Amino acid sequence: MIQSALIVAAIVLLVCLLVGEKRENRILMLASKTPLSFLFVVTAFIQPHPLPWYYHYVLIGLILGLVGDVCLALPGNTAFRAGLVAFLGGHILYVVAFAALSRGQDWIRPEMVGILLCSGGVARWLWPHLGPMRIPVAAYIVVITAMMFAAVAAFHNPEVKRTGAILVFAGATCFYFSDIWVARDRFVSHGFINRLIGLPCYYAGQFMLAYSVGVAG
């Protein structure tokens, strides 16, 4: 019952957030984005914790995501940089969490070549538009690529329950692609289409990772 209520509330808040983004209504954006992001933290908190260490890494990563979301909803480069740092920290914690679910032999997989090529293509596409943000964005791309590698490795570990492995991989993938839309909006072409695609991707990813803490072990 609680799980269903959280999902319904998240969908309603996401719709409100997209309406706020479309109308460029910052009050509506903050009023919907903050509780929506808080919900994925609550979702992780109420799950069973069969792997306490995994739960704690993911929970702190989600909290940093909440902080990053609030920062990105605020105007100015300072808020954007603060959000970038928060998300970077969250991604690092996800790398650690997923890596702990993996085995050494699972870090050599064909999918990783595709991920590396995708990240390299994104970096090349963004590079002319970044200016003084080149180093921070490059570091961010390295970390999200490592997050995807760790998610792939965790997915291929037969000791991880299949539902949990799928949620980890799908959640990380959604998060990865949502970041591309954030970058496009910030550095290449500002427009509502970036949020229309990126925000549902992002929240789907975060909620899947939140649910994964209850079924990974």
Side-chain angles (χ1 to χ4, degrees):
M1 184 67 179
I2 295 176
Q3 306 280 9
S4 299
L6 285 172
I7 292 172
V8 171
I11 292 171
V12 171
L13 286 168
L14 178 58
V15 171
C16 291
L17 174 57
L18 290 171
V19 170
E21 292 281 357
K22 176 65 175 177
R23 297 179 178 176
E24 297 186 351
N25 185 325
R26 198 163 295 279
I27 294 176
L28 180 57
M29 288 159 56
L30 277 171
S32 52
K33 192 171 194 178
T34 303
L36 176 54
S37 298
F38 184 70
L39 283 184
F40 58 60
V41 176
V42 173
T43 297
F45 185 75
I46 66 173
Q47 300 303 308
H49 310 149
L51 301 173
W53 48 268
Y54 177 74
Y55 161 71
H56 286 109
Y57 286 135
V58 172
L59 180 65
I60 298 171
L62 291 169
I63 292 171
L64 287 173
L66 167 60
V67 173
D69 288 333
V70 174
C71 290
L72 291 188
L74 298 173
N77 286 331
T78 300
F80 178 78
R81 290 190 182 97
L84 194 69
V85 170
F87 280 120
L88 185 65
H91 281 309
I92 291 171
L93 285 167
Y94 290 158
V95 171
V96 175
F98 303 159
L101 291 176
S102 68
R103 306 170 303 170
Q105 61 264 41
D106 295 322
W107 284 80
I108 303 176
R109 291 286 173 174
E111 303 98 301
M112 294 179 180
V113 176
I115 293 166
L116 194 61
L117 290 173
C118 183
S119 292
V122 169
R124 183 175 180 180
W125 167 56
L126 291 175
W127 201 253
H129 307 280
L130 297 177
M133 291 295 290
R134 282 181 172 177
I135 292 177
V137 171
Y140 194 91
I141 291 173
V142 169
V143 173
I144 64 171
T145 302
M147 180 193 71
M148 284 303 303
F149 281 10
V152 169
F155 178 78
H156 284 286
N157 184 356
E159 297 174 6
V160 179
K161 290 184 178 178
R162 284 301 84 193
T163 302
I166 291 168
L167 287 173
V168 166
F169 178 72
T173 301
C174 285
F175 204 159
Y176 179 88
F177 282 108
S178 75
D179 280 339
I180 294 174
W181 288 97
V182 171
R184 181 181 188 274
D185 189 68
R186 184 71 184 186
F187 300 113
V188 180
S189 179
H190 181 72
F192 175 63
I193 187 65
N194 300 310
R195 273 91 74 196
L196 182 62
I197 299 174
L199 285 172
C201 254
Y202 168 72
Y203 281 104
Q206 290 284 56
F207 273 95
M208 282 191 277
L209 294 180
Y211 278 113
S212 75
V213 305
V215 292

